[in-house]
Amino acid sequence: MSKDEKKIVLAKASLFEGESQGDYKAPNIVQCILSLFRNIQPGADLIRFQLPTTFNLPKSQLQSFGESVYCTNKDLLSICNNCESPLERLTGVVAWCISTTRPIIFGLSPYNPILGETHHVSTGSLNVLLEQVFHHPPVFALHATNEKENIELIWCQQPVAKFCGTSVEAQTHGKRQLKLHKYKETYEMNSPKLLVRILPVPRTDWVGNVKIKCHEGGLEAELCFRGGSLLGRRGRAIKGKIYESLSIQTLYEIDGHWDRTVSVKDMQNGERKVIFDAKEVLYGLKTPVVMDSQAVWATESAAVWGDVSQGILNQEWEKARVAKKGVEEEQRRVLRERESVGETWVPKHFNVTKSGEMGWDCSPIQEIVPPAPIVVPP
């Protein structure tokens, strides 16, 4: 490989317990606690906190967010789009929303994306593009389009993490939109919180309430993600309902576990049906592959962090540390140059505006996301 050639490294998608973790694994938990939290005060903002490379996943946070859209064994979005009634479409959207919840390995975290970093991947007829549109605070935008099914996704979100003494809470502010243009329907939803418990038993859980609303269909859904007990008993439960917006009449009750199965109960006839099966949708996910390295942008996550990821996968920690420091120092150099000439950085793929204290709105500059040179194998 020539000196100027990009090293493009793509790591495996998030995996469940019992699946092979590939070439990396979580560090010793005691070391993790001592290394990360010895000097952090409760309530501290962890956004600018830099992890040593031994505790990094070999991927950027942009890739982690992107995986929740393009890494799946079942095309749930197309299934939503082919349901006949508004109720069945919202039920399908609920199943898809649950599928974006992925397992988190305690003690490992992705890299904080640099400003302007992108991640561009295609799976089937769905093309997905993410861009880091702000650095402080960190905000990313996502645009995905499926021209065949006439489906569009637009996200603009800000992850915020805080240390709470015996746990870390990470909340993703902003909204997610799913547009089924065939029906002229837009589904808006928020995200659950990630709770990382350190004591008494180290574990990670998705917790909190998610609301999905479709104004055009006059229906809403509420999901409550519940973690395990303090003693470490298995959680990952989901409770919720689908109801009419005006009458508040419950049509379906939702119950299950996002890492197993989730069912709905029809309140009219008592019938139950499974709407989501994690083993069917999320187990054994395939890693994206580079189809055309020359077409990969220099801002692509897998290229920006390629040397760092390769060092982590090879367990060459010093090489990974030096490479990570190089990425961060280059970002600071570019920022100084920009500030010296009074230049304001502008996102390349999105128009972004702040909405409220913790809200962000974005609109894609291009209507359609083009096919990517990185593809998820069929």
Side-chain angles (χ1 to χ4, degrees):
M1 185 172 66
S2 67
K3 185 177 180 179
D4 296 329
E5 190 175 344
K6 300 184 290 286
K7 179 177 287 186
I8 305 166
V9 179
L10 289 150
K12 284 187 175 183
S14 299
L15 304 172
F16 286 92
E17 295 87 346
E19 292 189 276
S20 171
Q21 299 295 332
D23 297 322
Y24 60 93
K25 60 183 180 179
N28 180 275
I29 290 174
V30 175
Q31 290 178 349
C32 181
I33 295 172
L34 293 176
S35 297
L36 298 185
F37 302 113
R38 185 183 293 121
N39 298 314
I40 304 175
Q41 298 299 317
D45 186 345
L46 300 183
I47 290 302
R48 301 194 187 199
F49 181 70
Q50 295 297 321
L51 283 169
T53 53
T54 47
F55 301 118
N56 275 130
L57 288 167
K59 66 179 72 173
S60 169
Q61 194 172 52
L62 274 194
Q63 182 180 343
S64 295
F65 278 117
E67 285 174 358
S68 67
V69 173
Y70 63 70
C71 269
T72 175
N73 292 324
K74 194 172 183 180
D75 189 355
L76 297 180
L77 287 175
S78 294
I79 293 174
C80 297
N81 204 41
N82 291 306
C83 292
E84 294 184 358
S85 72
L87 176 57
E88 292 311 305
R89 285 196 293 277
L90 179 54
T91 303
V93 172
V94 167
W96 171 78
C97 177
I98 294 169
S99 79
T100 64
T101 307
R102 303 300 169 91
I104 304 296
I105 304 173
F106 180 86
L108 293 179
S109 176
Y111 321 124
N112 293 328
I114 65 171
L115 186 63
E117 182 179 323
T118 59
H119 188 50
H120 187 200
V121 177
S122 293
T123 177
S125 53
L126 181 69
N127 303 316
V128 183
L129 173 63
L130 299 94
E131 182 179 17
Q132 191 74 11
V133 294
F134 280 92
H135 190 59
H136 295 305
V139 180
F140 80 90
L142 177 148
H143 187 211
T145 57
N146 183 330
E147 290 188 85
K148 179 182 177 182
E149 294 285 345
N150 208 9
I151 295 172
E152 183 177 22
L153 289 168
I154 301 175
W155 298 1
C156 192
Q157 301 197 289
Q158 175 190 348
V160 176
K162 289 194 178 296
F163 181 54
C164 304
T166 59
S167 66
V168 174
E169 287 189 4
Q171 187 166 358
T172 303
H173 297 282
K175 63 184 177 183
R176 302 178 174 186
Q177 290 184 323
L178 165 59
K179 298 175 181 285
L180 303 181
H181 291 296
K182 176 179 176 181
Y183 305 100
K184 298 181 179 179
E185 291 177 341
T186 297
Y187 297 82
E188 289 191 359
M189 64 202 79
N190 61 311
S191 309
K193 294 191 297 184
L194 176 63
L195 178 62
V196 181
R197 288 196 178 99
I198 304 165
L199 296 172
V201 178
R203 61 178 295 127
T204 59
D205 283 310
W206 290 104
V207 299
N209 299 318
V210 172
K211 190 169 186 177
I212 306 171
K213 188 168 186 175
C214 178
H215 293 281
E216 296 83 0
L219 298 173
E220 299 180 34
E222 291 179 359
L223 300 174
C224 178
F225 287 76
R226 300 178 178 179
S229 69
L230 289 175
L231 296 179
R233 294 189 180 90
R234 192 174 184 183
R236 298 179 173 178
I238 290 180
K239 296 279 187 181
K241 62 182 180 179
I242 296 175
Y243 58 95
E244 294 179 344
S245 298
L246 292 179
S247 67
I248 317 298
Q249 178 184 356
T250 299
L251 305 176
Y252 285 166
E253 285 186 346
I254 303 166
D255 183 41
H257 298 81
W258 63 262
D259 64 335
R260 284 161 270 177
T261 61
V262 178
S263 302
V264 294
K265 176 183 176 181
D266 190 322
M267 300 307 292
Q268 282 192 330
N269 56 31
E271 291 183 359
R272 288 183 177 273
K273 64 178 178 179
V274 174
I275 62 169
F276 175 77
D277 186 333
K279 285 190 175 181
E280 185 179 273
V281 178
L282 299 179
Y283 276 68
L285 297 176
K286 296 178 180 178
T287 304
V289 296
V290 179
M291 303 301 292
D292 182 0
S293 61
Q294 298 302 312
V296 174
W297 299 330
T299 55
E300 164 62 43
S301 292
V304 170
W305 301 98
D307 288 327
V308 187
S309 297
Q310 194 62 64
I312 291 173
L313 291 171
N314 294 341
Q315 295 188 343
E316 296 174 335
W317 304 115
E318 181 59 18
K319 286 185 178 180
R321 184 191 68 78
V322 171
K324 185 179 181 184
K325 183 178 179 181
V327 172
E328 293 164 350
E329 288 184 346
E330 175 63 15
Q331 179 177 227
R332 287 190 283 268
R333 183 193 65 78
V334 171
L335 176 61
R336 287 194 299 269
E337 286 187 358
R338 192 181 299 124
E339 289 177 342
S340 69
V341 296
E343 178 184 335
T344 300
W345 185 84
V346 177
K348 184 176 181 179
H349 304 283
F350 296 87
N351 295 312
V352 183
T353 56
K354 199 169 190 307
S355 174
E357 185 178 350
M358 285 292 188
W360 297 85
D361 289 317
C362 71
S363 58
I365 293 175
Q366 301 295 327
E367 290 186 4
I368 301 297
V369 177
I374 300 174
V375 175
V376 179

